């Protein structure tokens, strides 16, 4: 789209030319540069929807940065991988596939800046659909963090799950229930 092209050109001008955009403006346009800065806003996004949030949960051979758990009605488990650096993002697809073994839905949560870098990296021509195509192969959706508002938007819905492996899902649900019953204080996601 025109907006995507304009945003990419702005990014290139601000990072590759003599003019450097001030850090606070860069953050507002492209989002945070460090993964830990995305944890709270993404957790808050799910918390406001009635989910209990857990961090660094092992699923398969990987550890999900966040797991959102909602036991109201049919229990639902959502695994979220947070990425802000393009090098990390390129390597996260195996993790996303791992999460399919225990979660009902899987999401990559990232920033506009990371998406732009991913789409422009190692390519002669930008394919605006490249990330969405890769996520589709992994059965994952995409959440984008808005650096200006701190809000999150689901820009690619996670595909309907073909059903997680029951033993992994049972273990994950049981683990979430155990943590909740121990009344472990959670971080203040509502801040």
């Amino acid at each position: 789209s025109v907006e995507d092209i304009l945003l990419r050109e702005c990014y290139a001008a601000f990072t590759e030319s003599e003019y450097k955009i001030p850090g606070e403006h860069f953050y507002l346009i492209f989002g945070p540069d460090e993964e830990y800065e995305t944890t709270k806003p993404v957790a808050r996004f799910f918390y406001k929807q009635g989910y209990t949030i857990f961090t660094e949960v092992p699923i398969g051979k990987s550890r999900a940065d966040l797991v959102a758990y909602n036991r109201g009605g049919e229990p639902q488990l959502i695994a979220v991988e947070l990425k802000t650096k393009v090098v990390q993002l390129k390597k996260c697809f195996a993790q996303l596939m791992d999460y399919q073994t225990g979660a009902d839905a899987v999401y990559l949560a990232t920033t506009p800046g990371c998406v732009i870098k991913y789409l422009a990296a190692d390519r002669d021509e930008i394919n605006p659909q490249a990330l969405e195509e890769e996520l589709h192969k992994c059965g994952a959706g995409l959440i984008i963090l808005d650096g200006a508002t701190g809000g999150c938007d689901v820009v690619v819905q996670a595909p309907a799950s073909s059903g997680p492996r029951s033993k992994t899902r049972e273990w994950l649900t049981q683990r979430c229930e155990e943590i909740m019953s121990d009344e472990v204080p959670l971080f203040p996601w509502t801040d």
Side-chain angles (χ1 to χ4, degrees):
S1 72
V2 173
E3 292 86 1
D4 293 335
I5 293 167
L6 180 60
L7 196 56
R8 183 176 184 283
E9 291 305 314
C10 288
Y11 183 82
F14 292 141
T15 58
E16 298 167 10
S17 69
E18 290 180 28
Y19 175 74
K20 298 287 185 192
I21 188 170
E24 65 273 11
H25 296 165
F26 189 91
Y27 183 95
L28 292 174
I29 297 168
F30 300 108
D33 200 36
E34 297 298 330
E35 190 174 297
Y36 72 88
E37 295 176 285
T38 64
T39 303
K40 210 172 201 179
V42 175
R44 188 182 311 114
F45 172 75
F46 285 105
Y47 179 83
K48 287 181 177 180
Q49 296 177 51
Y51 288 88
T52 301
I53 311 302
F54 302 95
T55 58
E56 295 298 323
V57 179
I59 305 175
K61 299 173 190 167
S62 304
R63 293 181 81 78
D65 291 319
L66 295 175
V67 168
Y69 175 64
N70 186 348
R71 64 177 166 189
E74 179 71 26
Q76 187 172 17
L77 290 157
I78 299 174
V80 182
E81 186 61 28
L82 306 170
K83 295 296 179 202
T84 57
K85 306 246 189 273
V86 74
V87 174
Q88 298 169 335
L89 194 146
K90 287 179 179 182
K91 297 176 182 179
C92 81
F93 301 111
Q95 290 174 286
L96 297 174
M97 291 176 77
D98 249 358
Y99 303 157
Q100 295 291 335
T101 64
D104 300 311
V106 176
Y107 283 94
L108 166 65
T110 190
T111 63
C114 191
V115 170
I116 292 166
K117 289 176 188 176
Y118 177 82
L119 295 176
D122 307 325
R123 293 178 176 86
D124 294 332
E125 202 171 298
I126 293 178
N127 173 5
Q129 306 304 317
L131 182 57
E132 188 173 347
E133 290 167 2
E134 204 61 45
L135 290 170
H136 182 71
K137 290 178 197 172
C138 299
L142 178 64
I143 297 172
I144 297 292
L145 173 66
D146 183 336
T149 66
C152 294
D153 291 313
V154 175
V155 295
V156 175
Q157 198 63 249
S161 176
S162 58
R165 287 191 218 142
S166 60
K167 291 215 182 279
T168 304
R169 187 179 191 286
E170 284 174 26
W171 176 86
L172 190 55
T173 303
Q174 183 179 18
R175 185 71 185 118
C176 290
E177 288 291 340
E178 286 171 4
I179 294 170
M180 289 170 63
S181 70
D182 289 342
E183 296 183 29
V184 174
L186 298 176
F187 292 101
W189 301 121
T190 53
D191 288 7

